[in-house]
Amino acid sequence: MFNHPYYFRKLFEQFVGNRFFTVSFIKKDGLERIMTCRLNVKKHSKGGAQSADPNTYLVGWEPSAKQYRNINIETLQWVRCRGVTMDLAA
């Protein structure tokens, strides 16, 4: 049941809430990406619709780059939030 992207997405959003979190995932080119970001940031949005598939990607605001980034749910390695690191690469 929780293997479905919709349920995973909802659980992930509940876990991180409105806090900053650090995440590791594998990019399309095969390189690991580690970034600190936050979900649900609307301040810098231009009002357009999300272009990436919401069942495959989370959209996080990366303050160091001042840009939105797509996080591939399927290639997540680990997430760190609230002092807890969860290994997701099983």
Side-chain angles (χ1 to χ4, degrees), residues 17-72:
N18 199 26
R19 296 173 173 85
F20 281 98
F21 61 94
T22 303
V23 67
S24 169
F25 62 97
I26 306 300
K27 300 188 311 181
K28 283 183 180 179
D29 62 5
L31 296 174
E32 180 184 29
R33 170 102 159 113
I34 298 173
M35 69 178 182
T36 300
C37 57
R38 224 172 106 187
L39 299 177
N40 302 317
V41 174
K42 305 286 186 224
K43 182 175 181 179
H44 307 283
S45 173
K46 295 179 181 161
Q50 179 180 347
S51 59
D53 179 12
N55 289 324
T56 307
Y57 294 96
L58 295 165
V59 178
W61 171 255
E62 185 179 25
S64 63
K66 296 184 179 161
Q67 293 183 342
Y68 290 97
R69 303 287 189 193
N70 287 317
I71 303 166
N72 190 336

Side-chain angles (χ1 to χ4, degrees), residues 1-10 54-56 73-74:
M1 175 178 176
F2 294 113
N3 291 335
H4 192 279
Y6 173 80
Y7 295 112
F8 177 82
R9 180 185 184 90
K10 292 299 173 191
N55 289 324
T56 307
I73 294 172
E74 296 171 356

Side-chain angles (χ1 to χ4, degrees), residues 72-83:
N72 190 336
I73 294 172
E74 296 171 356
T75 64
L76 279 173
Q77 302 298 300
W78 53 263
V79 61
R80 182 180 307 130
C81 186
R82 304 179 187 197

